[in-house]
Amino acid sequence: MPEVTASSRAIAPFLRSRIPRALAARRPDARWRPGLEEQPLHSEIFASGGEASGAGLALALARDALAAAGEDDDRRQVLWVQDRVTIRLGGRPCVQGLPPDLRHRLIHVAAATPEDALFALEEGLRCRDLVCVIGEIAGNPRALSFTASRRLSLTAERHGVSLWLVRLDAAPDLSSARMRWRVSAAPSPHPRWNPAAPGYATWRAELFRARSHAPGEWILNDANGTLRPDPAFAATDSGDLVRPTVGRSLAARARA
C-alpha cells in the first residue's frame, strides 16, 4: 500500500477541486442527453436504406454538438459524402430541406465507390475549414475495415473535425467509432396549430455503444431546430431522459 504522508493529505482536496467536471460526465453509467458539451469526434449511425432516418439524425446530432460547443454560428462549410449506392437508396441532400443556416455552405461529394467515399471523408477531416463532416456508406464493404475506421477516428481527433458516418443497411461490425447508434423513424407529434400539417422529424434512437455513456434508447425530435427527447417517452421517476437497454449489444447479437 502506498505511504500517505501529511503533505499528500494536504494537497488531496486541492487536486480534487481541480478535476474537470467533464471527467465526471465520462463515467460508464453516465446517461447521454442532447446538449452535452463533451461530444465524440467519430460517431456511426446504422439505419435502413428505405428511409431517411440515418441522414436526418446525423444532421440533428451534428447541429446539437455544434450548438453545445458554441459553434452553431460558425460559418465554415459542411462536407457531405455519399457513395453511389446510398445516393440510389435515399437520394442526394435536398438543399431546400436543410436548415436555413446550412443551405449555402454545403459541399456535396458523390463518390463512385466506398473506397472513394472513405478517401473523401478522410481528406475532409484533415481540413480545418470544415465545421463537420457527414458521410453515408451502404452495407459492409471490405474497404470499411477496422483499420479504415481507426484511421477516421485518429484523423478526426488529430484535426478536431467531427464525423457522423451513416451506415445504410449495414450490420454492426468492428469499428473504432466512439459512439454508435441504431435509428428508425418514429411517429411525429401532432402540430400544435395545424393538425393537418406534417409533424417534426422524430426518431427512435438506440445508443448501443459509447465509451462514456451507458446504452439506452430515446425518442428524439428536432422541433424548432433543437434536438430534444420526447417527454412522453422519458422516464419521470428518476429524471433520466432515457430508457436503458439490457442484454448483449447489437454488435454481439449480430455476430451470434
Side-chain angles (χ1 to χ4, degrees), residues 46-121:
F46 291 83
S48 168
E51 57 183 49
S53 297
L57 183 61
L59 186 59
L61 289 172
R63 300 188 75 216
D64 177 69
L66 293 175
E71 298 176 350
D72 48 339
D73 59 347
D74 195 318
R75 308 314 298 174
R76 288 179 294 169
Q77 305 294 304
V78 175
L79 177 65
W80 196 312
V81 179
Q82 295 178 292
D83 68 4
R84 179 187 298 143
V85 179
T86 59
I87 294 176
R88 178 174 57 82
L89 290 172
R92 302 168 186 258
C94 176
V95 174
Q96 295 304 317
L98 294 174
D101 59 305
L102 296 181
R103 293 175 185 173
H104 302 294
R105 54 194 186 103
L106 178 70
I107 301 174
H108 178 256
V109 173
T113 65
E115 291 83 356
D116 292 341
L118 289 169
F119 175 80
L121 290 172

Side-chain angles (χ1 to χ4, degrees), residues 1-224:
M1 179 179 296
E3 181 180 359
V4 179
T5 64
S7 59
S8 63
R9 286 195 298 268
I11 65 172
F14 174 81
L15 292 176
R16 285 196 296 269
S17 67
R18 292 296 190 270
I19 296 177
R21 293 182 180 179
L23 293 181
R26 295 179 182 177
R27 301 189 314 271
D29 60 343
R31 298 299 187 190
W32 177 89
R33 65 181 184 278
L36 288 177
E37 294 184 8
E38 293 292 325
Q39 298 277 2
L41 292 174
H42 180 194
S43 300
E44 286 186 340
I45 301 170
F46 291 83
S48 168
E51 57 183 49
S53 297
L57 183 61
L59 186 59
L61 289 172
R63 300 188 75 216
D64 177 69
L66 293 175
E71 298 176 350
D72 48 339
D73 59 347
D74 195 318
R75 308 314 298 174
R76 288 179 294 169
Q77 305 294 304
V78 175
L79 177 65
W80 196 312
V81 179
Q82 295 178 292
D83 68 4
R84 179 187 298 143
V85 179
T86 59
I87 294 176
R88 178 174 57 82
L89 290 172
R92 302 168 186 258
C94 176
V95 174
Q96 295 304 317
L98 294 174
D101 59 305
L102 296 181
R103 293 175 185 173
H104 302 294
R105 54 194 186 103
L106 178 70
I107 301 174
H108 178 256
V109 173
T113 65
E115 291 83 356
D116 292 341
L118 289 169
F119 175 80
L121 290 172
E122 187 171 343
E123 289 301 304
L125 294 174
R126 297 177 187 276
C127 180
R128 296 175 187 262
D129 288 331
L130 296 176
V131 68
C132 68
V133 176
I134 296 175
E136 293 184 76
I137 294 180
N140 295 85
R142 181 177 299 180
L144 187 49
S145 61
F146 178 80
T147 300
S149 175
R150 181 66 173 163
R151 287 176 61 92
L152 293 176
S153 296
L154 293 176
T155 305
E157 292 167 359
R158 183 178 299 116
H159 297 279
V161 180
S162 299
L163 167 65
W164 284 268
L165 180 58
V166 180
R167 307 283 304 277
L168 294 182
D169 296 335
D173 48 7
L174 291 178
S175 171
S176 69
R178 310 314 191 197
M179 188 174 287
R180 307 184 87 189
W181 296 87
R182 183 179 290 275
V183 62
S184 60
S188 300
H190 295 293
R192 182 177 182 182
W193 304 113
N194 182 4
Y200 296 110
T202 305
W203 308 279
R204 178 179 296 274
E206 182 177 1
L207 178 64
F208 65 90
R209 180 185 180 276
R211 286 193 169 186
S212 306
H213 306 287
E217 187 175 341
W218 289 258
I219 296 293
L220 300 170
N221 65 58
D222 64 346
N224 301 318

